[in-house]
Amino acid sequence: DGGITQSPKYLFRKEGQNVTLSCEQNLNHDAMYWYRQDPGQGLRLIYYSQIVNDFQKGDIAEGYSVSREKKESFPLTVTSAQKNPTAFYLCASSSFSGGDQPQHFGDGTRLSIL
Amino acid sequence: AQSVTQLDSHVSVSEGTPVLLRCNYSSSYSPSLFWYVQHPNKGLQLLLKYTSAATLVKGINGFEAEFKKSETSFHLTKPSAHMSDAAEYFCVVRYTGGFKTIFGAGTRLFVKA
């Protein structure tokens, strides 16, 4: 079955540490996205990529970095500059970035501070 | 500014009774509208989408939504709630020619036995 795989499901970060969240899709989608979800809030866009080797900042990119070296992979690094990283992180993809294409989501990674 | 408002943060219904989750969006020429469901510690699952075809859209698990341009609304309904419908629901809008996806704040649906 095609879909989006996020790993790990749970992740713990120590002070001053960078951590990387994995996102892989086998849907052959061009566009990929990273969202952050905090309790009682909607989703906020961190970064998105419409094509390999290209990505743009979303609304809350500070303290995060991404890469898009392969079509199927879009890893997110939470750097030590992100002072409040505890959240649920969701990766999504869509067939292209046009308005009528729904996004497909992975099952998320929950990041906590040790 | 483009926006989407889910009018209720929480909705509680009894099993077997109708469900109504309300969503309003800011006016635009050609919005695409979506409803997603999220169960605890899971990603968002697409329930249905409206993309300028029929105004009454049928989705999975017995849900449907009606696009009302005059009211800028896209409310989600289900005739009879099931315990498994208890989850958080998100109304989402995208606008033609734009990339940005706008998520509502979510409505938590509780289903009582």
Side-chain angles (χ1 to χ4, degrees):
Chain A
D1 282 340
I4 299 177
T5 301
Q6 290 187 242
S7 62
K9 191 167 181 65
Y10 299 96
L11 187 58
F12 298 91
R13 196 190 87 171
K14 296 178 181 178
E15 290 289 337
Q17 185 182 44
N18 295 349
V19 292
T20 297
L21 285 61
S22 171
C23 177
E24 302 278 333
Q25 54 100 357
N26 61 4
L27 299 167
N28 200 33
H29 285 170
D30 290 308
M32 296 188 73
Y33 317 77
W34 274 104
Y35 293 95
R36 171 178 171 141
Q37 185 177 30
D38 294 282
Q41 299 189 30
L43 277 65
R44 292 184 290 169
L45 182 65
I46 305 172
Y47 269 98
Y48 65 95
S49 169
Q50 299 179 69
I51 196 169
V52 175
N53 292 322
D54 186 51
F55 49 83
Q56 287 78 41
K57 293 181 179 180
D59 299 318
I60 55 165
E62 185 175 350
Y64 300 96
S65 65
V66 294
S67 63
R68 186 87 186 276
E69 298 176 359
K70 298 186 296 182
K71 186 176 185 177
E72 58 270 23
S73 179
F74 192 41
L76 173 74
T77 295
V78 184
T79 75
S80 57
Q82 172 50 246
K83 297 307 179 189
N84 183 24
T86 298
F88 191 50
Y89 291 86
L90 287 162
C91 179
S93 69
S94 64
S95 60
F96 61 91
S97 56
D100 65 346
Q101 295 300 310
Q103 294 179 10
H104 299 257
F105 286 83
D107 276 344
T109 293
R110 188 166 297 281
L111 176 62
S112 302
I113 295 293
L114 276 178
Chain B
Q2 298 164 346
S3 66
V4 57
T5 302
Q6 292 185 241
L7 298 168
D8 305 291
S9 59
H10 298 86
V11 170
S12 183
V13 301
S14 297
E15 192 173 22
T17 64
V19 175
L20 170 63
L21 305 182
R22 299 182 293 165
C23 173
N24 286 105
Y25 63 93
S26 59
S27 179
S28 175
Y29 175 65
S30 294
S32 293
L33 295 155
F34 309 85
W35 275 100
Y36 286 85
V37 61
Q38 184 181 32
H39 293 276
N41 293 311
K42 291 288 190 181
L44 277 66
Q45 179 187 14
L46 181 68
L47 281 176
L48 49 81
K49 69 175 185 178
Y50 167 78
T51 55
S52 75
T55 56
L56 183 61
V57 182
K58 293 188 183 300
I60 62 172
N61 300 336
F63 285 95
E64 61 182 39
E66 186 172 7
F67 173 69
K68 291 187 176 180
K69 187 174 182 178
S70 60
E71 298 176 10
T72 62
S73 70
F74 189 58
H75 300 336
L76 182 71
T77 60
K78 182 174 181 177
S80 176
H82 191 272
M83 294 297 289
S84 61
D85 294 327
E88 185 136 28
Y89 292 80
F90 291 94
C91 181
V92 179
V93 61
R94 303 186 84 182
Y95 293 94
T96 299
F99 168 81
K100 193 171 178 66
T101 301
I102 302 169
F103 290 82
T107 298
R108 174 77 63 179
L109 176 65
F110 297 93
V111 182
K112 298 174 289 187

